[in-house]
Amino acid sequence: MAKFTLRTDNSYFFPLPHTKNTPFIKTSLQLQRFHFHLSPSKPRLRIVANTQHDVKDTHSTVSMAKLPVEPRHEAPLSGSDKLSEVVGNWPPWKNLPQRYKLIGTTSLAFVICNMDKVNLSIAIIPMSHQFGWNSSTAGLVQSSFFWGYALSQLPGGWLAKVFGGSKVLQVGVLVWSVATAFVPLLAGYMPGLLLSRILVGIGEGVSPSAATDLIARTIPTEERSRAVAFVFGGLSVGSVMGLLLAPPLIQNFGWDSVFYLFGLLGIAWFLGFQVVEGDATQLTSESLLSAKATTTQSWKTSLKELNVSAQDIPWKAFFRSRAVWSMIYAHFCGSWGHYTCLSWLPTYFSEELDLNLTEAAWVSILPPLASILVTSIASQLADNLISRGIETTKVRKICQSIAFLSPAICMTLSSLDLGLPHWEVVGLLTGGIALSSFALSGLYCTHQDMSPEYASILLGITNTVGAIPGILGVALTGYLLDSTHSWSVSLFAPSIFFYLTGTVIWLVFASSKPQSFSEQN
């Protein structure tokens, strides 16, 4: 009697002995050893196998002397089988790795985030006419968003570290969406209107830290620029969609319709995320990419850690670092130009360039639309440079310098009395603001580069200071506009100053070198 041993890691199809046209039996086990015992009188097959669960099936055939293997014939799928196969693979993102699902849903949340942020910049024009607001009052209403935004940055970073960015983001979206839907109901009562916008700011204020926590834990350094660009690029997409949808909605259904519709979109995202998150829990450990370390912690464990987590944060080490201070000041400078333009450019295009509401909104779309293109280019460039061995700090400095100097130059040209036609002014502002998106591959990646563990806390610190221009800058622009009636003085001059000084500080002190803040503390 001969004995053969075959090692394999695949599944095989074997015909039943002494029968013809017998259906094949497919093993559902992963076979690691086969022992074939053949004798002239009574051929028999004995299989010794070790079983492993959750193993992918591999369709193969085995050909061996004196052991013929018949070809496998499969019947065509019936209509019901095809339908079952399609339903089994639906939705299309079902089998995507968990980190892609997290990044995708977070980016979508940021789209809705900026839709709820820019809707007031369009609606403020008819609202001011209806309620008799001057520029100072309109600036106060728009700046109230940033009161809540500033207050929620550090708590948002802390909660993201303790509970995980996913949970914090869900709560944030729900809060800002409900508050957005309540704006029309409270518009005639100034304290209530301000409170609703503060709640919108609080809800949106925790989202950057939540996103930073997810990216820092799941995305490697050489892919980080693209992940940050994709997530935070959702803000530009949201600005475009908000500016596209707001004017026709206002003209056909009234200014209150944008708040109702955009608020419902956020609530729908919240409900949809529950389904996505529920499906994600059934993924295998391989597709989750060590989800235990990269996604949310259990609420029971998190509540226990909540009492001691604040004491474990190395606050002193943060504020002894010159690199952290450079991030703080750079964030302040970039936010001054970004928030003042986001809030006042539609009014600038309407009053200074004499465009109607729809035209002003369409022109206002150009900067964020161009930012989407610039963001994709900048992220690819930054990641390619890093993968080629260029020092990460040098790459971040280059990107952030472009983000600051480009809008400073374009605003300077726009504010000078050069007799430029309106389309050239629009082109300059569009190009300058679009190139400021290089910051997503500069400043906004530095938090993760410096400390993945405390990235959400660091962003909470810098974003808190970065929200101050939204409070002071937006309101100050309205006040200066009433006082000087000059857009160059009220809107452009302060932004140019901060862009230039921010560039100097960033080039001198910024660093992406990993920091051991816990040891320094």
Side-chain angles (χ1 to χ4, degrees):
M1 179 175 66
K3 180 176 180 181
F4 302 93
T5 299
L6 171 65
R7 292 182 179 271
T8 181
D9 290 329
N10 299 323
S11 300
Y12 295 90
F13 294 89
F14 298 97
L16 295 176
H18 305 298
T19 60
K20 289 187 177 181
N21 300 323
T22 305
F24 284 88
I25 299 176
K26 177 177 178 295
T27 63
S28 60
L29 308 176
Q30 183 174 3
L31 305 181
Q32 294 182 339
R33 291 182 63 88
F34 295 98
H35 298 288
F36 296 98
H37 300 274
L38 303 177
S39 64
S41 58
K42 294 183 179 181
R44 58 192 178 91
L45 170 66
R46 180 166 62 89
I47 300 176
V48 180
N50 294 327
T51 63
Q52 294 181 356
H53 299 287
D54 299 328
V55 178
K56 296 181 180 178
D57 296 327
T58 304
H59 302 288
S60 306
T61 57
V62 176
S63 177
M64 183 174 290
K66 299 182 181 180
L67 187 62
V69 178
E70 297 181 10
R72 180 188 179 200
H73 300 284
E74 293 184 355
L77 292 176
S78 64
S80 59
D81 292 335
K82 292 180 180 178
L83 179 61
S84 301
E85 183 177 354
V86 172
V87 172
N89 293 327
W90 187 264
W93 56 83
K94 179 179 179 181
N95 296 321
L96 283 177
Q98 175 68 356
R99 67 182 186 278
Y100 294 160
K101 291 184 179 181
L102 291 173
I103 296 301
T105 52
T106 302
S107 181
L108 180 58
F110 275 39
V111 172
I112 301 172
C113 173
N114 251 31
M115 290 177 68
D116 289 336
K117 190 181 296 182
V118 303
N119 57 7
L120 186 61
S121 66
I122 299 296
I124 197 69
I125 299 174
M127 290 174 72
S128 297
H129 293 160
Q130 177 178 336
F131 297 108
W133 298 338
N134 58 21
S135 297
S136 297
T137 303
L140 177 66
V141 172
Q142 294 195 80
S143 68
S144 61
F145 165 89
F146 296 98
W147 303 350
Y149 193 79
L151 290 173
S152 60
Q153 293 303 312
L154 278 176
W158 174 41
L159 293 172
K161 186 180 187 310
V162 175
F163 293 103
S166 176
K167 297 295 183 185
V168 174
L169 182 64
Q170 291 178 63
V171 175
V173 173
L174 183 62
V175 169
W176 92 54
S177 300
V178 172
T180 295
F182 269 87
V183 167
L185 304 177
L186 302 171
Y189 179 59
M190 184 59 68
L193 175 60
L194 296 179
L195 177 61
S196 66
R197 291 301 292 178
I198 290 172
L199 289 175
V200 173
I202 290 174
E204 294 192 10
V206 302
S207 58
S209 295
T212 300
D213 178 78
L214 290 174
I215 295 171
R217 297 184 186 218
T218 60
I219 306 298
T221 303
E222 61 272 13
E223 299 177 9
R224 193 165 290 157
S225 297
R226 280 168 286 178
V228 172
F230 185 77
V231 170
F232 285 86
L235 297 174
S236 297
V237 177
S239 296
V240 172
M241 294 183 64
L243 293 170
L244 277 176
L245 294 174
L249 286 172
I250 291 174
Q251 290 181 343
N252 292 291
F253 304 104
W255 60 263
D256 54 344
S257 61
V258 295
F259 297 101
Y260 290 135
L261 178 60
F262 292 0
L264 288 176
L265 287 176
I267 295 173
W269 181 95
F270 174 81
L271 296 176
F273 190 83
Q274 310 307 310
V275 177
V276 174
E277 189 179 39
D279 292 341
T281 58
Q282 300 177 8
L283 295 176
T284 63
S285 58
E286 179 182 358
S287 63
L288 284 175
L289 189 63
S290 303
K292 191 172 183 179
T294 60
T295 57
T296 58
Q297 305 174 25
S298 68
W299 282 93
K300 183 177 180 180
T301 303
S302 298
L303 287 172
K304 292 180 180 180
E305 294 178 355
L306 189 62
N307 295 326
V308 297
S309 61
Q311 300 175 1
D312 296 336
I313 297 173
W315 301 103
K316 293 181 180 179
F318 290 158
F319 293 108
R320 284 200 298 260
S321 171
R322 293 185 299 176
V324 171
W325 279 108
S326 70
M327 288 196 302
I328 292 173
Y329 187 67
H331 210 138
F332 178 91
C333 296
S335 294
W336 189 286
H338 176 73
Y339 290 144
T340 54
C341 287
L342 185 69
S343 299
W344 285 105
L345 271 186
T347 305
Y348 169 78
F349 291 140
S350 177
E351 295 183 359
E352 185 71 8
L353 304 186
D354 198 24
L355 304 178
N356 60 37
L357 180 65
T358 302
E359 292 172 339
W362 273 97
V363 172
S364 300
I365 290 171
L366 296 178
L369 192 61
S371 295
I372 298 173
L373 176 62
V374 171
T375 296
S376 61
I377 296 174
S379 61
Q380 292 285 350
L381 175 63
D383 281 345
N384 287 338
L385 290 175
I386 293 173
S387 64
R388 292 178 182 178
I390 305 298
E391 187 182 1
T392 305
T393 297
K394 184 178 295 185
V395 174
R396 304 305 183 206
K397 286 186 176 182
I398 292 172
C399 291
Q400 191 61 38
S401 297
I402 295 173
F404 278 168
L405 293 177
S406 299
I409 294 172
C410 293
M411 286 183 179
T412 300
L413 296 175
S414 299
S415 61
L416 296 177
D417 188 11
L418 300 178
L420 298 176
H422 290 169
W423 67 269
E424 289 188 5
V425 175
V426 170
L428 283 171
L429 292 176
T430 297
I433 295 173
L435 289 171
S436 68
S437 297
F438 265 84
L440 295 180
S441 299
L443 169 66
Y444 282 85
C445 288
T446 309
H447 306 79
Q448 296 97 301
D449 296 336
M450 188 177 295
S451 177
E453 180 182 4
Y454 296 109
S456 62
I457 303 295
L458 290 172
L459 184 64
I461 294 172
T462 65
N463 225 7
T464 298
V465 180
I468 295 176
I471 300 171
L472 298 180
V474 174
L476 181 62
T477 300
Y479 173 78
L480 291 175
L481 188 60
D482 279 338
S483 303
T484 65
H485 303 286
S486 171
W487 285 100
S488 297
V489 173
S490 59
L491 180 60
F492 297 132
S495 298
I496 294 169
F497 170 80
F498 288 119
Y499 280 139
L500 294 178
T501 57
T503 302
V504 174
I505 297 298
W506 183 259
L507 290 175
V508 174
F509 298 109
S511 174
S512 290
K513 183 179 179 181
Q515 304 284 327
S516 300
F517 289 111
S518 298
E519 297 178 4
Q520 297 175 20
N521 203 52

